[in-house]
Amino acid sequence: MGSSMTATVVIVPGLRDAAPRHWQSLLEAGLRERGREVLAVAPMGRDALDRAQRVAALDEAIGRVHGPALLVAHSAGCLTVAHWASVRAGASELVRGALLAVPPDFETPMPAPYPGLEALRANGWLPVPRKRLGFRAIVAASLDDPLASIGRVRRMALDWAAECVELGAVGHLNPGSGYGPWPRAEEFLQQLDVSS
């Protein structure tokens, strides 16, 4: 059954913000070209680690949406969504669904040059929220992501009450892993963009 109102897509980048060849940027441009309403969370800069700032930027973006929002998050953007949902009353009324692509495991040390546990803790990222998001979500998981084991990503998806879809060996699903365009993102959006 189709929705009575098409949701506005809200792009939620990771800590490194948008990049021209990243699948999120390409998805945003393609959706806009086809007349879809798309908003992007304001860039914070590569060195801005403050979780509260990023959650506030997401809240501001969702506040500009007239009608339901459909979130498309990558990497730390997934954790921004989880933190936002854990503190935002009425999140389920504002968000129709979320595509959460390759969430990192901030509770396990990551390789350089990614931030360490102390920096993540000091900037409010830890602990990672583990309660239900309150809206439909698909977690797109990589079998060989250098920033999170598949077991940890499966656990996050379970805790968030999200569907976990394993993509295979896609690295961190970014230009460094060979992505570029990621056509499956639109397939997942279509699955989420229906009335519940």
Side-chain angles (χ1 to χ4, degrees), residues 23-44:
W23 65 265
Q24 277 184 311
S25 302
L26 299 171
L27 175 69
E28 179 182 355
L31 291 173
R32 285 183 196 279
E33 283 174 15
R34 293 191 301 278
R36 183 77 184 250
E37 189 172 354
V38 183
L39 296 174
V41 172
M44 302 270 118

Side-chain angles (χ1 to χ4, degrees), residues 140-157:
S142 171
L143 297 178
D144 64 347
D145 189 344
L147 302 187
S149 72
I150 187 63
R152 296 284 288 184
V153 173
R154 286 180 189 136
R155 183 75 233 180
M156 281 186 268

Side-chain angles (χ1 to χ4, degrees), residues 10-86:
V10 178
I11 304 291
V12 189
L15 293 180
R16 305 208 173 212
D17 285 328
R21 292 178 34 242
H22 194 286
W23 65 265
Q24 277 184 311
S25 302
L26 299 171
L27 175 69
E28 179 182 355
L31 291 173
R32 285 183 196 279
E33 283 174 15
R34 293 191 301 278
R36 183 77 184 250
E37 189 172 354
V38 183
L39 296 174
V41 172
M44 302 270 118
R46 290 176 69 104
D47 298 321
L49 278 183
D50 188 275
R51 188 258 318 147
Q53 261 188 310
R54 290 185 179 268
V55 169
L58 173 57
D59 196 53
E60 190 276 331
I62 293 172
R64 289 187 286 135
V65 173
H66 302 292
L70 193 59
L71 309 180
V72 179
H74 177 260
S75 192
C78 303
L79 304 185
T80 300
V81 169
H83 278 283
W84 176 84
S86 74

Side-chain angles (χ1 to χ4, degrees), residues 27 30-31 34 99 182-191:
L27 175 69
L31 291 173
R34 293 191 301 278
L99 170 57
W182 181 42
R184 287 198 71 188
E186 291 204 49
E187 295 174 27
F188 292 134
L189 284 180
Q190 288 172 7
Q191 291 176 36

Side-chain angles (χ1 to χ4, degrees), residues 92-113:
S92 62
E93 296 168 15
L94 300 169
V95 174
R96 178 173 291 161
L99 170 57
L100 307 174
V102 293
D105 179 9
F106 275 4
E107 295 172 334
T108 300
M110 294 183 297

Side-chain angles (χ1 to χ4, degrees), residues 137-142 150 153-155 157-158 161-167:
I138 295 172
V139 171
S142 171
I150 187 63
V153 173
R154 286 180 189 136
R155 183 75 233 180
L158 184 65
E163 177 185 356
C164 187
V165 177
E166 295 179 15
L167 304 175

